[in-house]
Amino acid sequence: MENIASVSNALDNFELSTDYRVKNYVKNFNSHVDFLIETTSEINKASIAKDKKFTFTDAIYWQCEASILENLDDVTDSEVLGKLDDLEDKLYSKLISSLGKFYRNGDRSWIDKMLDMTIQNTLLGLKFEYFSASNRYRNPWTEATDILLDNRLIYTFSDDVDHLKDLGLKISDKDSNEIARKLVGVAGKGNKKDFATGYFRDLTALRNMLYNFLESIADNSAKAIKKELIVKEIRDMGVKPEQLTDNNIQSWLIDPLKQTNRIGSNKDGYFVINTGSDLIASYNSHFENFKGFYRTLERHKRLAEKFDVPIEKLDRHHKFVGDQNLNAEDPEDSLF
Amino acid sequence: MPRKDINGNDFAHHSDFPVNPQVRNIEFAAGKAFFGKREFPNCFLTDITIPQVDHFMQHPADYELQDCHYLDERCDYLTVQTNGRTFDNVIFCNPIMIGFRGKFETKYFLEKVHDLLADNGTVIVLGSSTNVWSKFSNLQRYYGKLKEENDLDYDFEFELQVVDANHPYRQNHTFYRSNLSDTAVPNQLIHIKKA
């Protein structure tokens, strides 16, 4: 996660995007929502999305935020709060300046809504790191911050996709089946007249059904099950391949459960993390993968001279690991 | 036994929104709660969405035992049309999606306050000091910015009261978050008046 000073510095040369082709902002917002729900569930020690009929709504989003802040926000340090206020002023000023004529001549009510949402989420992402219990939970605003700093967009969302059609959101015909109808629209704005629009599928209920299934037959690392069995279970639930392909099941159901630490995996398959032993099993498996990737990257790096490639282009893995270590508050938390 | 308001009367359903001149109070984003109906009798209870439970009038004999809602009207605070009529008390209890989460949310909130509030009326915002939609420091900060930047045409006065565990509002109400398993704990009561 960025810190206050680095975000402030990044704003000095910041310009909003003029290119809407990359849809990464939708993926980032989807992850942000997943982590918001997950962190709220962890705080309340109950999965709020356990109900099979659970459907994500705007109200749930804001209730999750309120619950997280009411339970965790204990920042009273006036120096920190003052720096956040200064950054907020800079964000409003810089983003309105970067919008330029598209702010002055645009539909101000939409853009103002996006500015508030983007700026407040960015500030919450930074403030979260100062909560005394922050190291016990995943910061749910990390990916939201990435939409501003990496995708260079201001943004908003709605569970009512019709609401965003005025901004140009189009829903694909193939998404008219029941599962895909649960959509959440995301609209972004860069330094262009029009809006970037996209959507993601609210698959929380299906993820919960899958989690419950894993809990019933794969509740520890010794009972891990393969993806093929998971796919069979999803098909037995009545979900057809034309609604959700095998690859969709991996990327939209299994991967988010892994990303939110609800399940782990090893060479034998997937399982629910219920004990420290499960956690170690999953960690060890991923550590082996990590070592394999690391060695491959090092071998690539050794070819830099042969192909006349600047060494810094092949040293990003070291920088990544270095950044992770710098962000670790306690040296004991660092990667090495 | 049906719930009573602070005057000891049964809760009333007002189906004549917004015209009934006797109903001088209005609560927005009420959800399934009944704060406005209890504490500010003759109150329209409203929300942008209707909870998927029965209305309390469907259970006149024992609604306090039912999972029900008390709404009189479905409407959105920022776009509601009241044909020029105003209210003595405009109430927000643990608000989300309405309030002070940013400079412009505050601007549109206060502009609507100007339209809906009687000249001697009061906006009541009960919430937590960590709820970004209701925290007093946000209201103060963004109001100051908006006036400094000439982006708000109206003037307001604010007053903050601390709400501790002994306050009647906390003694008499449990503030459930409709979709979550936890409760909100308000510790601030903000009064807003036209200056």
Side-chain angles (χ1 to χ4, degrees), chain A residues 136-295:
Chain A
R136 286 164 47 198
Y137 303 99
R138 171 66 155 76
N139 185 338
W141 287 280
T142 300
E143 283 74 13
T145 305
D146 290 344
I147 302 175
L148 176 65
L149 297 182
D150 295 346
N151 309 135
R152 293 184 293 126
L153 294 171
I154 59 171
Y155 56 90
T156 189
F157 80 102
S158 178
D159 61 44
D160 178 2
V161 289
D162 288 340
H163 191 52
L164 298 181
K165 281 183 179 169
D166 291 346
L167 303 185
L169 178 62
K170 291 186 178 69
I171 306 298
S172 166
D173 288 343
K174 71 179 180 187
D175 281 323
S176 59
N177 60 63
E178 189 179 350
I179 288 170
R181 220 183 293 135
K182 293 174 181 172
L183 303 176
V184 180
V186 185
K189 178 89 178 166
N191 185 231
K192 290 180 75 170
K193 186 181 179 186
D194 58 352
F195 292 84
T197 56
Y199 57 90
F200 61 91
R201 294 154 188 80
D202 169 27
L203 296 171
T204 316
L206 210 50
R207 270 181 220 138
N208 280 313
M209 289 163 78
L210 173 58
Y211 178 81
N212 291 341
F213 168 69
L214 288 169
E215 206 168 41
S216 67
I217 68 162
D219 63 350
N220 66 67
S221 56
K223 295 185 187 172
I225 62 168
K226 296 285 188 194
K227 179 187 164 186
E228 291 70 25
L229 192 57
I230 291 176
V231 171
K232 182 180 178 306
E233 174 65 15
I234 298 291
R235 300 286 172 239
D236 289 347
M237 287 176 189
V239 180
K240 298 171 185 164
E242 55 269 31
Q243 294 174 315
L244 216 57
T245 66
D246 291 5
N247 283 340
N248 292 156
I249 290 172
Q250 176 75 50
S251 55
W252 297 348
L253 301 182
I254 297 172
D255 289 351
L257 285 174
K258 280 190 68 178
Q259 284 159 9
T260 52
N261 272 335
R262 296 178 78 186
I263 64 173
S265 65
N266 60 18
K267 64 181 174 43
D268 297 321
Y270 300 93
F271 52 87
V272 174
I273 298 176
N274 273 322
T275 65
S277 157
D278 301 330
L279 185 63
I280 289 168
S282 186
Y283 178 91
N284 284 345
S285 175
H286 287 85
F287 185 57
E288 288 305 313
N289 295 340
F290 174 78
K291 284 196 292 190
F293 283 126
Y294 185 84
R295 287 178 191 127

Side-chain angles (χ1 to χ4, degrees), chain A residues 47-183:
Chain A
S47 175
I48 59 167
K50 226 173 185 173
D51 186 345
K52 290 175 185 175
K53 291 179 183 167
F54 176 91
T55 303
F56 175 78
T57 62
D58 294 3
I60 285 174
Y61 176 92
W62 296 113
Q63 285 178 349
C64 285
E65 178 189 274
S67 179
I68 291 170
L69 294 177
E70 203 171 300
N71 282 285
L72 301 187
D73 183 358
D74 53 1
V75 179
T76 54
D77 185 330
S78 57
E79 191 182 337
V80 171
L81 295 173
K83 282 180 181 174
L84 287 169
D85 283 349
D86 291 344
L87 180 62
E88 182 180 42
D89 290 343
K90 192 170 180 177
L91 280 162
Y92 276 111
S93 167
K94 187 71 193 179
L95 293 178
I96 289 172
S97 156
S98 183
L99 285 162
K101 64 181 179 187
F102 303 118
Y103 184 71
R104 292 189 300 274
N105 306 332
D107 178 350
R108 205 182 138 180
S109 63
W110 270 114
I111 300 174
D112 283 347
K113 190 181 178 70
M114 291 178 167
L115 282 167
D116 278 349
M117 171 123 198
T118 307
I119 291 169
Q120 298 310 314
N121 277 358
T122 304
L123 296 170
L124 286 175
L126 294 165
K127 195 178 185 189
F128 185 94
E129 302 298 323
Y130 293 92
F131 296 169
S132 58
S134 66
N135 58 351
R136 286 164 47 198
Y137 303 99
R138 171 66 155 76
N139 185 338
W141 287 280
T142 300
E143 283 74 13
T145 305
D146 290 344
I147 302 175
L148 176 65
L149 297 182
D150 295 346
N151 309 135
R152 293 184 293 126
L153 294 171
I154 59 171
Y155 56 90
T156 189
F157 80 102
S158 178
D159 61 44
D160 178 2
V161 289
D162 288 340
H163 191 52
L164 298 181
K165 281 183 179 169
D166 291 346
L167 303 185
L169 178 62
K170 291 186 178 69
I171 306 298
S172 166
D173 288 343
K174 71 179 180 187
D175 281 323
S176 59
N177 60 63
E178 189 179 350
I179 288 170
R181 220 183 293 135
K182 293 174 181 172
L183 303 176

Side-chain angles (χ1 to χ4, degrees), chain B residues 48-152:
Chain B
I48 193 169
T49 55
I50 304 289
Q52 293 185 335
V53 293
D54 289 346
H55 189 265
F56 81 105
M57 292 299 282
Q58 291 173 253
H59 304 278
D62 64 346
Y63 58 77
E64 74 280 8
L65 302 176
Q66 308 293 327
D67 185 17
C68 55
H69 74 83
Y70 299 81
L71 299 179
D72 298 304
E73 180 69 15
R74 178 181 180 174
C75 66
D76 169 43
Y77 171 67
L78 291 178
T79 58
V80 64
Q81 299 293 323
T82 58
N83 304 323
R85 76 153 294 185
T86 56
F87 296 89
D88 293 342
N89 292 291
V90 179
I91 303 152
F92 302 88
C93 183
N94 297 303
I96 53 168
M97 304 166 77
I98 306 170
F100 322 128
R101 193 187 192 271
K103 185 164 65 177
F104 299 119
E105 293 282 359
T106 306
K107 168 186 163 68
Y108 297 124
F109 177 90
L110 291 173
E111 285 177 346
K112 195 68 183 183
V113 163
H114 179 266
D115 294 343
L116 288 177
L117 194 63
D119 283 346
N120 293 317
T122 306
V123 173
I124 287 109
V125 183
L126 178 66
S128 164
S129 57
T130 57
N131 177 352
V132 288
W133 295 99
S134 65
K135 64 196 293 186
F136 185 64
S137 58
N138 277 10
L139 171 62
Q140 275 186 309
R141 174 170 164 76
Y142 298 131
Y143 178 74
K145 291 279 172 196
L146 290 164
K147 295 305 291 183
E148 191 182 300
E149 295 164 7
N150 293 317
D151 202 12
L152 183 66

Side-chain angles (χ1 to χ4, degrees), chain A residues 9-29:
Chain A
N9 291 337
L11 288 175
D12 289 338
N13 298 309
F14 182 87
E15 292 297 339
L16 287 166
S17 177
T18 55
D19 183 357
Y20 293 167
R21 282 174 298 180
V22 179
K23 294 277 187 182
N24 209 24
Y25 66 96
V26 177
K27 192 178 169 195
N28 277 331
F29 196 82

